[in-house]
Amino acid sequence: MDGWALWDLFLTGLLRGGLYALMALGLSLVFGVINIPQFAHGEFYMLGAYFAYFAFFTLGSTPMVAILLAGAAGFAAGALIEKALFGPLRKRGGADWVMNTFLVTIGLSFVLQNGALALWGANFRGITGYWSGSLRLGSSMSIPLDRVAGFGLAIGAILAFWLFLGRTRTGRAIRAVAQDETGAALLGIEPNRIRNLAFALSTMLAAIAGGSLLSLNPAHPAMGSEALFKSWFVVILSGLGSVGAAIPGGFLVGILETFGSYFFGSVWQDCVSISIIILILLFRPNGLFASDVRGIWER
Amino acid sequence: MRAFSDLRFSPPALAALALLIVAGFLIDDEYILNLMIISLFFGAQAMVFDFTAGFIGIINFGFAAFLGLGAYVSALSAIRLGLSPWLAMWLGAGVAGIVGWLTAILTLRLSGIFATVMSWFVGLTLLSLATALVPLTRGSLGLSVPPLLEAAERRPLFFALLPLAALIYAVLRAITRSRVGLAFRAIGDNIEAARASGINPSRYRSLNFTISCFFAGLLGGFYAHFVGILTPEIMATSHTVEVLALAYIGGRGSLWGGLAAAFLVIPVFEFLKPLFEIRLVIYGLLLIAVMIYVPDGLAGRLARLRRVA
């Protein structure tokens, strides 16, 4: 194979990685701030795809509006669900918060997935494309414009989120709660509001991911499982020390997978990726980019 | 060894066993007998699952895949090597146990939720292997498996499963009531404190995983020869969730709770079958409600009632 083929593989992996980074960012945010190992994350990705489909196809809105609407709906759904489920659980307290919330999100994923199946049926709802046309980046491979736009949206959302966490008062409050809840409460931050916000933001990111990739992955009740697995994969690989680690991790996994499926065939893609992650974790049990700060997620 | 000296049943367990034997003889309805087999099968799975989740505090999220591994090994050794299904089942259990041991070694350095996610990854790998190895497993086309018994009646099958389930219960109970079981609980409660008391977490964690995966594989072998057709779908995470829900509804760390929950929940869900997806929505809601309002499950509630009375 020549240099251009490698470049094509690299590009494909990069485009794929943008989505993984966006999904994993939300996952590590929820784990980092409220210690919830979110197993319904893929279902919000699925809801985002449905919302975008209904906005774009049924209501006939523009692509940008459809994706933003999906994000807003994902935010609202996340805020509601956090209040309804994790509020009562937190009030009861108890030592096994991480495991209990893990089980609750498993139940939630079952409810959302089968609820979507009951409501919208098992057929695929896709669109031919938000934007038409394609692009060439140096090589002979032409990339559909939609794919590039989806990548751009993912990068945009990641950047916006990064600025929000780093530069705004609310973003700083989120980081404060993640580091020390009692300390944050002493400074007049309401931890309950911040937790709710963090959860809603993470589901919003997942919904945006689902919405912006609608033309590649049509909406379907079971589409979340794959996305969930991939985002957990990224989070475990990159480590949970900091939210930012999910971003390089996402790109790494995207590139790893494209090369894996090129050299070993797509049926072996998952086996290859999992073997690699197992090897890495043998030597770095806390993930590739883990910081030395521990204990945030395990109380 | 003191660990296995306590292979007895408690009086309620003996009563339940007697009740099941009598019911197996008295009931003639094939449909109800089939329902009893399924309930017993899921109940046994829930007990094996609880042996890990309820004691050492690690959820084996690849549980269904270990069961499927046992099923495939058993089915293939019956087909390729001409082994009797009764023997092949134990071979499947052995292989599942070995892979379970390897998984435990892999996850030893990981704590709580990380070990859970890792066992999930191992399960997904097994699933994708079963799908990809088409020459061996025929992939999603399905493998047709020699039956356990020539007769198609359900009663003999029920009496084939009952001793397996009773054996699993007896062994798991004996272990959890011994010093080994105490070490399991100590690790589940507080791993640092357990280590400080001279318990080697690595040894007990790998022992626990090996045993539970062994029994999962055994049940998988039964399943393969009971159903007669095997597809990779049996390894899907959603099956792990079904077993997990039963174990938690029954009450973590109780063993028998999962079995009782299976006999309560599965017939009700069979009855609700016309509702299709709504049924699974109810299943999810049930799990959520139990986790929020009854975290110690049926067994915990009963224990509390007994303490009050």
Side-chain angles (χ1 to χ4, degrees):
Chain A
M1 79 189 287
D2 59 0
W4 283 120
L6 273 176
W7 169 246
D8 285 349
L9 275 182
F10 177 75
L11 269 185
T12 317
L14 205 65
L15 291 178
R16 211 192 259 209
L19 159 80
Y20 292 171
L22 185 59
M23 288 292 290
L25 188 62
L27 200 61
S28 65
L29 175 78
V30 163
F31 203 20
V33 180
I34 32 185
N35 296 289
I36 295 176
Q38 168 59 307
F39 258 69
H41 202 55
E43 271 55 54
F44 290 95
Y45 169 81
M46 178 266 295
L47 286 180
Y50 272 106
F51 291 143
Y53 173 83
F54 290 129
F56 183 72
F57 194 78
T58 317
L59 300 179
S61 58
T62 61
M64 243 1 248
V65 172
I67 293 165
L68 287 178
L69 272 178
F75 185 90
L80 268 175
I81 285 170
E82 200 277 339
K83 255 224 151 44
L85 297 187
F86 300 112
L89 195 61
R90 191 172 292 117
K91 223 168 272 165
R92 212 200 60 228
D96 287 331
W97 169 259
V98 173
M99 273 303 163
N100 286 345
T101 51
F102 170 69
L103 294 160
V104 168
T105 58
I106 289 174
L108 178 63
S109 139
F110 234 61
V111 170
L112 291 178
Q113 195 172 329
N114 291 294
L117 195 59
L119 205 59
W120 298 314
N123 43 333
F124 289 88
R125 284 165 208 255
I127 55 172
T128 46
Y130 285 126
W131 296 278
S132 53
S134 60
L135 219 83
R136 266 167 221 266
L137 292 175
S139 65
S140 58
M141 181 180 69
S142 80
I143 308 165
L145 196 58
D146 248 29
R147 193 136 204 178
V148 182
F151 178 77
L153 278 164
I155 298 297
I158 290 171
L159 274 179
F161 185 72
W162 199 243
L163 287 176
F164 167 75
L165 266 192
R167 297 288 160 83
T168 63
R169 263 188 94 78
T170 324
R172 277 198 285 269
I174 290 181
R175 287 189 294 149
V177 170
Q179 279 170 12
D180 187 341
E181 246 177 57
T182 325
L186 280 174
L187 296 175
I189 297 167
E190 282 177 66
N192 276 333
R193 243 195 66 228
I194 294 298
R195 290 194 199 105
N196 190 265
L197 180 70
F199 193 86
L201 281 173
S202 88
T203 58
M204 181 186 82
L205 292 178
I208 288 177
S212 56
L213 286 178
L214 184 59
S215 62
L216 296 169
N217 303 318
H220 181 263
M223 73 191 290
S225 315
E226 177 83 10
L228 173 77
F229 159 53
K230 291 296 155 60
S231 25
W232 266 103
F233 196 80
V234 173
V235 165
I236 292 286
L237 182 74
S238 48
L240 283 151
S242 77
V243 174
I247 299 165
F251 288 109
L252 195 66
V253 171
I255 290 165
L256 199 81
E257 269 189 12
T258 342
F259 279 83
S261 78
Y262 181 83
F263 288 110
F264 298 96
S266 58
V267 251
W268 294 99
Q269 179 186 302
D270 286 351
C271 291
V272 172
S273 328
I274 294 174
S275 311
I276 291 174
I277 198 181
I278 287 173
L279 276 178
I280 290 176
L281 287 181
L282 278 180
F283 297 102
R284 291 193 62 109
N286 297 321
L288 270 184
F289 312 113
S291 63
D292 291 331
V293 185
R294 284 192 57 171
I296 293 171
W297 41 269
E298 220 179 21
R299 255 177 271 186
Chain B
M1 200 171 148
R2 258 207 74 214
F4 296 97
S5 63
D6 196 25
L7 264 175
R8 280 170 308 173
F9 278 55
S10 63
L14 266 182
L17 185 64
L19 188 72
L20 282 174
I21 293 174
V22 171
F25 276 116
L26 288 185
I27 293 170
D28 272 325
D29 192 314
E30 287 286 289
Y31 177 75
I32 295 179
L33 276 170
N34 196 43
L35 211 54
M36 280 168 60
I37 296 177
I38 296 172
S39 305
L40 192 58
F41 175 62
F42 272 95
Q45 285 188 73
M47 287 194 297
V48 175
F49 184 86
D50 188 40
F51 181 69
T52 300
F55 287 85
I56 60 169
I58 292 169
I59 291 170
N60 182 355
F61 212 48
F63 185 83
F66 288 101
L67 184 123
L69 177 66
Y72 268 108
V73 170
S74 178
L76 285 171
S77 53
I79 295 169
R80 299 274 163 120
L81 309 176
L83 235 56
S84 146
W86 298 96
L87 214 66
M89 264 159 60
W90 293 92
L91 193 63
V95 173
I98 291 170
V99 177
W101 177 70
L102 289 174
T103 309
I105 302 281
L106 264 180
T107 56
L108 277 180
R109 292 172 72 187
L110 308 172
S111 54
I113 190 74
F114 288 85
T116 295
V117 174
M118 208 58 192
S119 65
W120 184 43
F121 286 168
V122 172
L124 289 171
T125 313
L126 288 174
L127 170 66
S128 66
L129 272 178
T131 319
L133 287 171
V134 176
L136 199 61
T137 64
R138 296 195 356 115
S140 42
L141 284 173
L143 198 64
S144 95
V145 187
L148 204 55
L149 299 163
E150 291 306 321
E153 274 102 45
R154 299 280 116 168
R155 198 195 311 279
L157 279 169
F158 177 73
F159 281 111
L161 177 59
L162 192 58
L164 287 183
L167 174 79
I168 289 173
Y169 173 77
V171 171
L172 295 186
R173 180 168 181 272
I175 295 172
T176 52
R177 287 168 69 92
S178 69
R179 288 181 66 87
V180 178
L182 207 60
F184 287 161
R185 277 190 199 273
I187 291 170
D189 284 346
N190 187 336
I191 197 158
E192 293 306 327
R195 203 175 270 136
S197 330
I199 293 170
N200 178 355
S202 314
R203 239 184 76 204
Y204 287 100
R205 269 170 74 165
S206 49
L207 179 67
N208 184 299
F209 249 74
T210 312
I211 295 169
S212 72
C213 290
F214 177 87
F215 283 130
L218 184 67
L219 288 168
F222 172 83
Y223 174 87
H225 301 286
F226 165 65
V227 175
I229 185 139
L230 203 53
T231 58
E233 197 268 342
I234 173 196
M235 295 179 157
T237 312
S238 58
H239 292 297
T240 304
V241 175
E242 284 174 52
V243 173
L244 171 154
L246 288 176
Y248 279 90
I249 292 169
R252 56 185 93 175
S254 71
L255 291 183
W256 64 267
L259 190 69
F263 274 90
L264 288 176
V265 173
I266 286 174
V268 173
F269 273 84
E270 186 63 25
F271 179 71
L272 293 177
K273 215 164 196 171
L275 288 176
F276 297 109
E277 294 83 24
I278 301 291
R279 200 169 62 118
L280 294 170
V281 174
I282 299 173
Y283 212 87
L285 287 174
L286 196 62
L287 178 61
I288 294 175
V290 166
M291 289 323 298
I292 297 180
Y293 300 106
V294 207
D296 45 4
L298 277 178
R301 270 296 136 103
L302 206 69
R304 211 179 296 170
L305 277 178
R306 215 182 278 163
R307 239 173 287 141
V308 172

XYZ file of all heavy atoms in Angstrom, chain B residues 62-133:
523
model
N -20.375 -9.531 31.527
C -20.280 -10.415 30.368
C -20.892 -11.771 30.669
O -20.597 -12.746 29.996
N -21.734 -11.824 31.691
C -22.281 -13.098 32.176
C -22.880 -13.938 31.045
O -22.556 -15.122 30.903
C -23.333 -12.827 33.247
C -23.864 -14.072 33.895
C -23.169 -14.668 34.923
C -25.054 -14.638 33.475
C -23.643 -15.814 35.525
C -25.537 -15.790 34.061
C -24.828 -16.378 35.090
N -23.732 -13.323 30.231
C -24.404 -14.069 29.165
C -23.391 -14.660 28.190
O -23.608 -15.741 27.632
C -25.387 -13.170 28.423
N -22.270 -13.965 27.994
C -21.265 -14.458 27.060
C -20.573 -15.697 27.618
O -20.253 -16.624 26.874
C -20.247 -13.365 26.758
N -20.344 -15.739 28.934
C -19.740 -16.927 29.533
C -20.707 -18.109 29.434
O -20.305 -19.234 29.161
C -19.350 -16.667 30.987
C -18.154 -15.771 31.099
C -18.288 -14.431 31.398
C -16.886 -16.276 30.869
C -17.184 -13.605 31.475
C -15.782 -15.465 30.946
C -15.922 -14.122 31.247
N -21.975 -17.806 29.649
C -22.989 -18.837 29.482
C -22.982 -19.338 28.037
O -22.998 -20.545 27.774
C -24.365 -18.248 29.831
C -25.538 -19.200 29.811
C -26.216 -19.205 31.162
C -26.545 -18.794 28.753
N -22.900 -18.393 27.092
C -22.877 -18.754 25.678
C -21.634 -19.540 25.316
O -21.686 -20.469 24.495
N -20.505 -19.188 25.939
C -19.261 -19.918 25.682
C -19.427 -21.382 26.081
O -19.089 -22.296 25.311
C -18.116 -19.280 26.466
C -16.758 -19.963 26.371
C -16.221 -19.872 24.963
C -15.771 -19.350 27.354
N -19.993 -21.593 27.273
C -20.253 -22.962 27.710
C -21.183 -23.669 26.738
O -20.969 -24.842 26.397
N -22.196 -22.941 26.265
C -23.169 -23.516 25.342
C -22.485 -23.943 24.044
O -22.703 -25.057 23.558
C -24.273 -22.507 25.054
N -21.631 -23.061 23.504
C -20.974 -23.382 22.232
C -19.988 -24.531 22.379
O -19.934 -25.425 21.525
C -20.265 -22.145 21.660
C -21.155 -21.373 20.717
C -21.696 -20.153 21.073
C -21.465 -21.899 19.465
C -22.528 -19.460 20.208
C -22.294 -21.220 18.593
C -22.831 -19.996 18.975
O -23.650 -19.330 18.124
N -19.193 -24.514 23.455
C -18.214 -25.588 23.648
C -18.943 -26.923 23.788
O -18.576 -27.927 23.174
C -17.336 -25.311 24.877
C -16.492 -26.525 25.213
C -16.438 -24.108 24.622
N -20.022 -26.909 24.565
C -20.789 -28.126 24.775
C -21.393 -28.615 23.457
O -21.274 -29.794 23.106
C -21.883 -27.857 25.802
O -22.658 -28.990 25.979
N -22.005 -27.689 22.724
C -22.654 -28.064 21.467
C -21.628 -28.588 20.470
O -21.831 -29.635 19.840
C -23.382 -26.855 20.880
N -20.497 -27.883 20.341
C -19.502 -28.278 19.345
C -18.841 -29.602 19.708
O -18.566 -30.419 18.819
C -18.440 -27.182 19.199
C -18.925 -25.953 18.427
C -17.905 -24.835 18.504
C -19.221 -26.316 16.977
N -18.624 -29.836 21.016
C -17.988 -31.109 21.350
C -18.969 -32.260 21.188
O -18.557 -33.388 20.946
C -17.379 -31.076 22.756
O -18.328 -30.666 23.677
N -20.272 -31.956 21.289
C -21.253 -33.000 21.009
C -21.327 -33.283 19.509
O -21.447 -34.426 19.082
C -22.617 -32.603 21.542
N -21.210 -32.217 18.701
C -21.328 -32.393 17.249
C -20.036 -32.967 16.660
O -20.053 -33.972 15.950
C -21.652 -31.041 16.579
C -23.027 -30.548 17.032
C -21.614 -31.181 15.066
C -23.308 -29.118 16.643
N -18.906 -32.324 16.994
C -17.648 -32.697 16.341
C -17.025 -33.953 16.929
O -16.439 -34.755 16.224
C -16.642 -31.549 16.459
C -17.086 -30.259 15.800
C -16.712 -30.266 14.325
N -17.462 -29.266 13.615
C -16.901 -28.257 12.950
N -15.602 -28.141 12.913
N -17.649 -27.384 12.309
N -17.091 -34.065 18.270
C -16.420 -35.193 18.920
C -17.384 -36.319 19.240
O -16.972 -37.361 19.734
C -15.727 -34.729 20.207
C -14.802 -33.517 20.102
C -14.273 -33.130 21.470
C -13.642 -33.824 19.168
N -18.681 -36.065 18.992
C -19.669 -37.097 19.276
C -19.854 -37.390 20.758
O -20.271 -38.475 21.140
N -19.519 -36.412 21.584
C -19.663 -36.588 23.026
C -21.143 -36.587 23.413
O -21.946 -35.932 22.769
C -18.972 -35.417 23.724
C -17.901 -35.732 24.767
C -16.818 -36.604 24.164
C -17.303 -34.435 25.278
N -21.482 -37.322 24.460
C -22.860 -37.276 24.957
C -23.123 -35.892 25.535
O -22.263 -35.333 26.223
C -23.050 -38.341 26.031
O -23.944 -37.867 27.010
N -24.305 -35.315 25.278
C -24.602 -33.974 25.813
C -24.395 -33.877 27.311
O -23.990 -32.833 27.819
C -26.071 -33.779 25.446
C -26.285 -34.637 24.257
C -25.370 -35.805 24.416
N -24.652 -34.979 28.023
C -24.517 -34.962 29.479
C -23.073 -34.722 29.905
O -22.818 -34.124 30.949
C -25.000 -36.285 30.069
C -26.438 -36.525 29.777
C -26.932 -37.264 28.753
C -27.552 -35.995 30.491
N -28.299 -37.229 28.787
C -28.715 -36.466 29.842
C -27.690 -35.182 31.614
C -29.988 -36.137 30.262
C -28.952 -34.859 32.049
C -30.087 -35.337 31.380
N -22.143 -35.216 29.054
C -20.724 -35.057 29.349
C -20.240 -33.716 28.799
O -19.463 -32.994 29.424
C -19.965 -36.199 28.682
C -18.745 -36.708 29.415
C -19.178 -37.364 30.718
C -18.005 -37.697 28.530
N -20.727 -33.396 27.587
C -20.301 -32.180 26.891
C -20.579 -30.935 27.738
O -19.786 -29.991 27.764
C -21.018 -32.075 25.551
N -21.705 -30.968 28.466
C -22.070 -29.845 29.333
C -20.945 -29.488 30.295
O -20.638 -28.320 30.526
C -23.301 -30.212 30.152
C -24.607 -29.739 29.582
S -25.996 -30.673 30.205
C -25.898 -30.392 31.921
N -20.335 -30.532 30.875
C -19.283 -30.300 31.873
C -18.007 -29.798 31.222
O -17.261 -29.022 31.824
C -19.031 -31.579 32.675
C -20.219 -31.916 33.511
C -21.253 -32.737 33.154
C -20.545 -31.376 34.794
N -22.196 -32.752 34.153
C -21.787 -31.930 35.175
C -19.908 -30.492 35.657
C -22.407 -31.616 36.378
C -20.520 -30.196 36.862
C -21.756 -30.747 37.209
N -17.778 -30.230 29.978
C -16.639 -29.710 29.236
C -16.830 -28.213 28.986
O -15.915 -27.397 29.161
C -16.502 -30.466 27.910
C -15.207 -30.265 27.150
C -14.042 -30.777 27.966
C -15.260 -30.959 25.794
N -18.067 -27.855 28.581
C -18.392 -26.437 28.367
C -18.181 -25.637 29.636
O -17.616 -24.540 29.618
N -18.607 -26.220 30.758
C -18.447 -25.542 32.040
C -16.966 -25.318 32.336
O -16.554 -24.235 32.769
C -19.096 -26.366 33.149
N -16.147 -26.353 32.057
C -14.716 -26.244 32.330
C -14.074 -25.128 31.526
O -13.319 -24.305 32.067
N -14.397 -25.066 30.230
C -13.800 -24.027 29.384
C -14.258 -22.646 29.850
O -13.448 -21.711 29.970
C -14.161 -24.262 27.902
C -13.700 -23.095 27.050
C -13.528 -25.546 27.406
N -15.564 -22.511 30.144
C -16.066 -21.219 30.628
C -15.369 -20.828 31.923
O -15.033 -19.662 32.147
C -17.581 -21.278 30.823
N -15.131 -21.824 32.793
C -14.442 -21.556 34.054
C -13.027 -21.051 33.814
O -12.574 -20.111 34.466
N -12.325 -21.677 32.856
C -10.942 -21.258 32.569
C -10.922 -19.836 32.016
O -10.124 -18.992 32.451
C -10.279 -22.244 31.580
C -10.058 -23.586 32.278
C -8.953 -21.691 31.081
C -9.639 -24.699 31.347
N -11.835 -19.548 31.072
C -11.868 -18.189 30.525
C -12.275 -17.194 31.611
O -11.773 -16.067 31.660
C -12.810 -18.113 29.300
C -12.899 -16.695 28.765
C -12.312 -19.032 28.204
N -13.156 -17.620 32.506
C -13.529 -16.769 33.633
C -12.334 -16.466 34.518
O -12.137 -15.326 34.955
N -11.514 -17.481 34.733
C -10.299 -17.302 35.542
C -9.360 -16.306 34.869
O -8.825 -15.399 35.515
C -9.623 -18.661 35.727
C -8.341 -18.611 36.469
C -8.175 -18.345 37.796
C -7.034 -18.825 35.935
N -6.842 -18.382 38.110
C -6.115 -18.675 36.992
C -6.542 -19.135 34.659
C -4.738 -18.817 36.816
C -5.174 -19.277 34.488
C -4.293 -19.121 35.555
N -9.198 -16.451 33.534
C -8.335 -15.522 32.791
C -8.874 -14.097 32.884
O -8.121 -13.134 33.045
C -8.231 -15.946 31.322
C -7.423 -17.214 31.066
C -7.512 -17.623 29.604
C -5.961 -16.982 31.457
N -10.219 -13.966 32.778
C -10.832 -12.635 32.886
C -10.553 -12.036 34.254
O -10.245 -10.844 34.373
C -12.353 -12.738 32.681
O -12.593 -13.467 31.496
C -12.982 -11.369 32.587
N -10.638 -12.871 35.273
C -10.379 -12.378 36.623
C -8.945 -11.887 36.739
O -8.677 -10.830 37.307
C -10.648 -13.487 37.642
N -8.000 -12.646 36.168
C -6.589 -12.243 36.203
C -6.426 -10.878 35.530
O -5.716 -9.994 36.018
C -5.717 -13.281 35.458
C -5.867 -14.646 36.065
C -4.260 -12.838 35.405
C -5.105 -14.884 37.310
N -7.133 -10.714 34.383
C -7.051 -9.469 33.629
C -7.559 -8.284 34.442
O -7.043 -7.173 34.337
C -7.945 -9.572 32.396
C -7.312 -9.967 31.100
C -8.379 -10.015 30.034
C -6.262 -8.958 30.736
N -8.615 -8.526 35.227
C -9.283 -7.413 35.889
C -8.835 -7.246 37.335
O -9.353 -6.396 38.044
C -10.812 -7.615 35.870
O -11.096 -8.873 36.471
C -11.349 -7.600 34.478
N -7.863 -8.040 37.760
C -7.473 -8.006 39.172
C -7.051 -6.625 39.647
O -7.341 -6.224 40.761
C -6.317 -8.980 39.416
C -6.734 -10.423 39.623
C -5.517 -11.277 39.861
C -7.690 -10.527 40.788
N -6.341 -5.912 38.769
C -5.808 -4.624 39.206
C -6.859 -3.527 39.096
O -6.609 -2.392 39.469
C -4.589 -4.256 38.362
C -3.412 -5.166 38.625
C -2.303 -4.932 37.664
N -1.604 -3.676 37.913
C -0.671 -3.182 37.105
N -0.353 -3.832 36.002
N -0.079 -2.058 37.383
N -8.006 -3.843 38.546
C -9.039 -2.822 38.369
C -10.035 -2.918 39.514
O -10.292 -3.990 40.042
C -9.763 -3.038 37.041
C -8.863 -3.152 35.824
C -9.678 -3.565 34.619
C -8.169 -1.829 35.559
N -10.603 -1.772 39.872
C -11.536 -1.805 40.996
C -12.961 -1.598 40.509
O -13.194 -0.996 39.469
C -11.171 -0.707 41.983
O -11.115 0.522 41.305
N -13.896 -2.137 41.289
C -15.336 -1.932 41.107
C -15.810 -1.833 39.677
O -15.793 -2.803 38.919
N -16.208 -0.632 39.309
C -16.864 -0.430 38.026
C -15.940 -0.731 36.851
O -16.376 -1.186 35.800
C -17.434 1.014 37.947
C -18.338 1.171 36.735
C -16.342 2.066 37.904
C -19.655 0.493 36.912
N -14.615 -0.563 37.040
C -13.681 -0.833 35.946
C -13.624 -2.317 35.638
O -13.572 -2.722 34.477
C -12.291 -0.318 36.297
C -12.210 1.165 36.259
C -12.565 1.925 37.339
C -11.815 1.802 35.097
C -12.528 3.294 37.289
C -11.768 3.174 35.041
C -12.126 3.925 36.137
N -13.625 -3.131 36.693
C -13.622 -4.571 36.486
C -14.919 -4.984 35.788
O -14.922 -5.855 34.917
C -13.488 -5.287 37.817
N -16.016 -4.326 36.164
C -17.301 -4.596 35.526
C -17.253 -4.306 34.033
O -17.658 -5.127 33.213
C -18.389 -3.734 36.197
O -18.527 -4.156 37.543
C -19.709 -3.861 35.489
N -16.733 -3.120 33.689
C -16.675 -2.737 32.278
C -15.741 -3.677 31.518
O -16.017 -4.070 30.386
C -16.223 -1.274 32.131
C -16.010 -0.923 30.683
C -17.249 -0.349 32.740
N -14.656 -4.085 32.165
C -13.705 -4.984 31.508
C -14.351 -6.341 31.233
O -14.154 -6.904 30.151
C -12.493 -5.140 32.434
C -11.237 -5.426 31.698
S -10.900 -4.122 30.533
C -9.636 -4.925 29.628
N -15.127 -6.844 32.192
C -15.777 -8.133 31.953
C -16.804 -7.996 30.825
O -17.033 -8.932 30.063
C -16.444 -8.656 33.227
O -17.491 -7.820 33.624
N -17.356 -6.787 30.714
C -18.271 -6.502 29.600
C -17.523 -6.589 28.269
O -17.997 -7.200 27.313
C -18.863 -5.111 29.809
C -19.885 -4.676 28.811
C -20.905 -5.405 28.295
C -19.982 -3.372 28.229
N -21.639 -4.633 27.431
C -21.095 -3.387 27.377
C -19.248 -2.188 28.371
C -21.482 -2.263 26.648
C -19.640 -1.081 27.651
C -20.745 -1.113 26.798
N -16.325 -5.990 28.223
C -15.519 -6.033 27.004
C -15.174 -7.472 26.624
O -15.238 -7.845 25.453
C -14.226 -5.227 27.179
C -14.418 -3.733 27.165
C -13.398 -2.886 27.554
C -15.613 -3.167 26.757
C -13.572 -1.506 27.542
C -15.799 -1.799 26.751
C -14.773 -0.968 27.144
N -14.804 -8.261 27.630
C -14.478 -9.664 27.349
C -15.710 -10.367 26.776
O -15.624 -11.103 25.797
C -13.982 -10.379 28.619
C -13.842 -11.869 28.381
C -12.654 -9.800 29.070
N -16.882 -10.084 27.379
C -18.122 -10.664 26.876
C -18.404 -10.256 25.443
O -18.773 -11.086 24.608
N -18.182 -8.984 25.122
C -18.426 -8.511 23.759
C -17.453 -9.159 22.779
O -17.809 -9.458 21.634
C -18.289 -6.989 23.696
C -19.406 -6.204 24.377
C -19.062 -4.731 24.443
C -20.722 -6.387 23.629
N -16.211 -9.389 23.245
C -15.243 -10.070 22.380
C -15.698 -11.485 22.080
O -15.645 -11.937 20.931
C -13.863 -10.130 23.062
O -13.557 -8.847 23.580
C -12.794 -10.556 22.097
N -16.169 -12.184 23.112
C -16.663 -13.549 22.904
C -17.826 -13.535 21.922
O -17.911 -14.388 21.034
C -17.104 -14.159 24.237
C -15.989 -14.528 25.210
C -16.570 -14.973 26.541
C -15.126 -15.629 24.626
N -18.713 -12.543 22.082
C -19.854 -12.426 21.170
C -19.386 -12.218 19.734
O -19.856 -12.883 18.813
C -20.755 -11.267 21.619
C -21.867 -10.844 20.664
C -22.900 -11.943 20.508
C -22.559 -9.583 21.155
N -18.414 -11.304 19.546
C -18.000 -11.040 18.171
C -17.187 -12.218 17.621
O -17.212 -12.475 16.420
C -17.243 -9.713 18.054
O -16.035 -9.765 18.741
N -16.506 -12.960 18.491
C -15.822 -14.177 18.040
C -16.831 -15.208 17.555
O -16.650 -15.812 16.506
C -14.999 -14.773 19.186
C -13.570 -14.274 19.358
C -12.932 -14.943 20.560
C -12.753 -14.564 18.109
N -17.904 -15.390 18.348
C -18.920 -16.380 17.975
C -19.565 -16.004 16.648
O -19.955 -16.863 15.861
C -19.976 -16.501 19.065
N -19.665 -14.692 16.380
C -20.258 -14.250 15.124
C -19.262 -14.385 13.977
O -19.644 -14.708 12.846
C -20.702 -12.783 15.246
O -21.286 -12.595 16.528
C -21.712 -12.415 14.181
N -17.974 -14.130 14.263
C -16.973 -14.085 13.197
C -16.473 -15.469 12.793
O -16.116 -15.693 11.636
C -15.792 -13.221 13.632
N -16.433 -16.408 13.732
C -15.890 -17.740 13.433
C -16.933 -18.600 12.722
O -17.337 -19.655 13.230
C -15.440 -18.429 14.725
C -14.166 -17.886 15.364
C -13.971 -18.504 16.742
C -12.957 -18.182 14.496
